[in-house]
Amino acid sequence: MCNVAWCSFSWEAFATLATGLLAVGAAVWIGLKQMSITRRQVALENIKLRSELYDRRMEIYGATREWFDAFLQAGHTPDGDRRQRFVDAVYTSEFLFRPEVSQRLRAWYDLGVRHAMQERANQNEPALETAKQLIDASNTLHDLFGPDMRVGEPIE
């Protein structure tokens, strides 16, 4: 008992069926290609975002390094543009780094303010001790920023 009458199956019906199946197959193939392209676009966008985050983090590292370099050269906390760039870096770091980084930057800034106040009050011994703490801190920049600045590793 055959439900389909294969002998009465016309070429027009076969052509319609074959065309429909080919159209469905082509639509699936195009859909898969579009998904592949979309995945690549998402990956490229992710790389772009990581690059922008790295650049923003590098600005903060640069401002911090510059602030410490100016302190080490002059023997007192920097004024003007260097100071302002570091203050901006301290506040911005809260959004771009681990909490440990922003906390240490804030502590270093507080040390710099303390040192400036001690110098103005002619408190030479405490100012010298604070300067030593800042010098020690400058030697830990790489350790602090390093985990967040490594290229090629996942940026969180």
Side-chain angles (χ1 to χ4, degrees):
M1 195 158 287
C2 184
N3 291 338
V4 178
W6 291 107
C7 294
S8 63
F9 200 66
S10 68
W11 280 105
E12 291 85 16
F14 174 76
T16 302
L17 182 62
T19 302
L21 289 173
L22 281 172
V24 168
V28 167
W29 182 77
I30 289 172
L32 291 173
K33 283 294 186 182
Q34 285 178 330
M35 284 177 48
S36 172
I37 291 169
T38 302
R39 275 192 217 106
R40 281 189 245 147
Q41 287 174 332
V42 167
L44 288 173
E45 189 63 29
N46 188 26
I47 290 169
K48 180 181 172 190
L49 289 173
R50 287 178 53 157
S51 173
E52 290 172 5
L53 178 60
Y54 179 83
D55 291 343
R56 300 275 315 271
R57 286 177 172 179
M58 186 55 81
E59 288 175 21
I60 291 172
Y61 175 80
T64 304
R65 178 87 255 163
E66 186 178 300
W67 187 81
F68 273 111
D69 287 346
F71 175 80
L72 294 172
Q73 289 173 1
H76 58 82
T77 53
D79 298 357
D81 188 46
R82 285 183 175 163
R83 181 191 162 281
Q84 189 58 50
R85 283 190 64 219
F86 183 61
V87 169
D88 293 343
V90 169
Y91 287 110
T92 306
S93 69
E94 294 179 30
F95 305 108
L96 300 174
F97 287 96
R98 297 167 286 131
E100 175 191 356
V101 174
S102 62
Q103 291 166 0
R104 297 251 312 260
L105 289 178
R106 193 173 294 273
W108 292 341
Y109 177 73
D110 292 344
L111 273 177
V113 169
R114 183 184 322 149
H115 183 265
M117 291 171 59
Q118 290 166 339
E119 278 190 328
R120 285 189 186 110
N122 289 325
Q123 298 173 344
N124 294 333
E125 285 298 316
L128 183 61
E129 183 58 37
T130 305
K132 287 178 184 176
Q133 290 175 344
L134 284 169
I135 291 168
D136 291 343
S138 73
N139 293 324
T140 65
L141 278 180
H142 185 74
D143 295 333
L144 179 65
F145 283 94
D148 294 317
M149 300 301 293
R150 304 224 189 288
V151 176
E153 294 180 10
I155 297 177
E156 298 173 6

